[in-house]
């Protein structure tokens, strides 16, 4: 019995069950009678509570900070402390994940030009349909603007398919200075090695067993799994494509991104391009091998 609400309940219980007076019940509990008699004069805030619940039901993996940003976009003047209080009172707290082990030691970061298309990151994320058949999604992320440039689901994606999708993406957005990936067979295939040489795009491979070196796309994969894949049941490839395309559009244009000051990636890209900063945040540590090195090594 630490808080006032718990002490009020205890005093009421002693009065109802034991037949004690208020004075005697308060002496047993160690509570002040003024505190027991106090009744809150706060307004019920029914509309704000209802809207907060609606947003939390729509965005079931959003915490109070992102819900606060969404409410502010709608013109809600309440501060973040009030939103947090209502968030707790309504029982909307999101279950936290287990903490991950953090790397220790000192490593030199790779500086990155602060502009779109300075570097892209590629990786796969896996899931399955309601029937049990597995499928995979090729995710392509711009490391500076955090935009999801493509999220391509299919039951099988080869190295040639990756090269074809990259060619289509370059025709729409422009060529990146660098692409980072792991040593997956699709990314180390002859098709990708030839593509990077023909298009003169520098392709770097992270160290084996070090996914933290490709941290931007790994973080994106975690958000996709937490907010979409774990929350959805896909009945076929067409259903998966439409749902993933809709979520990708929402991620780029609506979802607040904490590392961008709770801006959306699309809005940040516009402001960032206009600002013209010379150097962006450091890239993940330890990006090592290039496509040319793999070709030379056979």
């Amino acid at each position: 019995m630490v808080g006032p609400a718990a002490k009020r309940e205890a005093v009421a219980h002693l009065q109802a069950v034991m037949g004690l007076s208020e004075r005697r019940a308060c002496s047993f509990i160690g509570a002040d009678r003024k505190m027991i008699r106090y009744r809150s004069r706060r307004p019920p805030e029914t509309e704000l509570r209802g809207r907060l619940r609606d947003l939390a039901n729509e965005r079931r993996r959003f915490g109070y900070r992102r819900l606060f940003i969404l409410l502010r976009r709608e013109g809600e003047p309440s501060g973040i402390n009030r939103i947090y209080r209502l968030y707790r009172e309504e029982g909307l707290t999101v279950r936290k994940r287990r903490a991950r082990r953090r790397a220790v030691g000192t490593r030199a970061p790779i500086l990155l030009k602060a502009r779109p298309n300075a570097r892209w990151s590629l990786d796969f994320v896996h899931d399955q349909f309601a029937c049990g058949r597995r499928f995979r999604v090729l995710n392509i992320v711009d490391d500076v603007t955090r935009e999801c440039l493509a999220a391509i689901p299919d039951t099988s994606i080869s190295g040639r398919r990756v090269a074809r999708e990259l060619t289509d993406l370059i025709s729409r957005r422009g060529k990146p200075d660098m692409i980072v990936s792991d040593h997956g067979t699709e990314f180390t295939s002859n098709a990708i090695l030839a593509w990077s040489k023909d298009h003169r795009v520098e392709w770097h491979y992270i160290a084996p067993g070090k996914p933290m070196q490709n941290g931007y796309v790994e973080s994106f994969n975690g958000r996709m799994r937490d907010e979409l894949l774990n929350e959805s049941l896909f009945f076929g490839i067409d259903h998966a494509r439409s749902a993933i395309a809709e979520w990708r559009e929402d991620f780029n244009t609506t979802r607040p991104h904490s590392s961008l000051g709770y801006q959306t990636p699309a809005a940040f890209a516009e402001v960032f391009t206009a600002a013209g900063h010379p150097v962006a945040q450091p890239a993940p540590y330890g990006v090592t091998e290039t496509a040319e090195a793999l070709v030379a090594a056979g």
Side-chain angles (χ1 to χ4, degrees):
M1 294 180 295
V2 178
K7 291 186 177 181
R8 291 191 191 101
E9 292 180 2
V11 169
H13 175 77
L14 290 177
Q15 288 180 294
V17 177
M18 306 292 294
L20 300 181
S21 66
E22 180 187 85
R23 183 189 300 274
R24 192 164 180 79
C26 288
S27 65
F28 284 144
I29 300 301
D32 190 277
R33 296 175 65 190
K34 293 182 180 179
M35 182 266 290
I36 297 299
R37 294 177 178 179
Y38 175 78
R39 295 295 179 266
S40 175
R41 297 181 181 179
R42 285 175 175 168
E45 299 173 323
T46 306
E47 294 183 3
L48 180 56
R49 289 175 183 268
R51 184 55 185 155
L52 185 61
R53 285 195 301 269
D54 292 341
L55 286 175
N57 288 332
E58 294 174 9
R59 314 277 185 162
R60 304 199 327 178
R61 299 300 301 173
F62 276 20
Y64 74 94
R65 291 184 179 88
R66 285 194 173 89
L67 294 177
F68 167 72
I69 297 297
L70 296 180
L71 289 171
R72 271 294 172 89
R73 290 180 185 173
E74 297 177 358
E76 173 58 46
S78 300
I80 193 169
N81 291 334
R82 174 182 290 180
I83 299 301
Y84 178 66
R85 174 175 59 82
L86 299 180
Y87 177 83
R88 291 291 300 273
E89 291 176 359
E90 294 296 322
L92 303 176
T93 305
V94 179
R95 181 177 61 86
K96 294 182 179 180
R97 297 185 184 184
R98 294 174 56 187
R100 297 180 180 178
R101 292 182 298 175
R102 298 182 181 274
V104 296
T106 303
R107 294 169 292 179
I110 303 172
L111 293 180
L112 191 63
K113 294 182 180 178
R115 59 178 178 80
N117 293 343
R119 196 183 67 189
W120 295 354
S121 295
L122 278 66
D123 198 14
F124 285 99
V125 63
H126 300 260
D127 201 15
Q128 63 182 15
F129 301 122
C131 63
R133 186 181 183 185
R134 298 189 65 81
F135 70 96
R136 59 200 324 212
V137 185
L138 171 63
N139 288 328
I140 306 175
V141 175
D142 189 308
D143 290 354
V144 175
T145 65
R146 307 297 203 277
E147 295 172 282
C148 175
L149 307 181
I152 304 154
D154 211 333
T155 54
S156 177
I157 301 178
S158 63
R160 292 183 178 180
R161 173 73 180 279
V162 174
R164 189 165 64 250
E165 296 292 347
L166 288 173
T167 302
D168 294 342
L169 183 58
I170 286 176
S171 65
R172 300 193 307 268
R173 184 180 174 89
K175 187 171 68 173
D177 295 342
M178 181 191 302
I179 293 179
V180 180
S181 73
D182 56 21
H183 286 78
T185 55
E186 301 83 6
F187 302 138
T188 56
S189 63
N190 290 331
I192 290 298
L193 298 178
W195 181 90
S196 63
K197 183 177 180 181
D198 294 341
H199 288 77
R200 297 181 180 178
V201 174
E202 187 178 3
W203 197 298
H204 281 257
Y205 295 93
I206 64 175
K210 300 290 184 180
M212 69 288 294
Q213 295 177 4
N214 204 11
Y216 294 125
V217 72
E218 291 289 348
S219 175
F220 175 81
N221 290 347
R223 302 283 75 74
M224 172 180 278
R225 183 166 299 282
D226 189 38
E227 299 175 11
L228 175 66
L229 301 182
N230 289 347
E231 299 289 322
S232 305
L233 187 63
F234 302 109
F235 298 99
I237 189 63
D238 292 335
H239 181 207
R241 284 171 179 164
S242 62
I244 290 174
E246 182 179 352
W247 184 84
R248 171 183 166 271
E249 181 67 19
D250 178 82
F251 180 89
N252 286 336
T253 60
T254 304
R255 182 187 185 276
H257 203 300
S258 58
S259 65
L260 304 180
Y262 290 99
Q263 300 181 73
T264 64
F268 179 77
E270 295 178 1
V271 175
F272 204 72
T273 303
H277 298 292
V279 178
Q281 298 178 355
Y285 303 95
V287 179
T288 55
E289 297 174 316
T290 64
E292 290 76 5
L294 290 182
V295 172

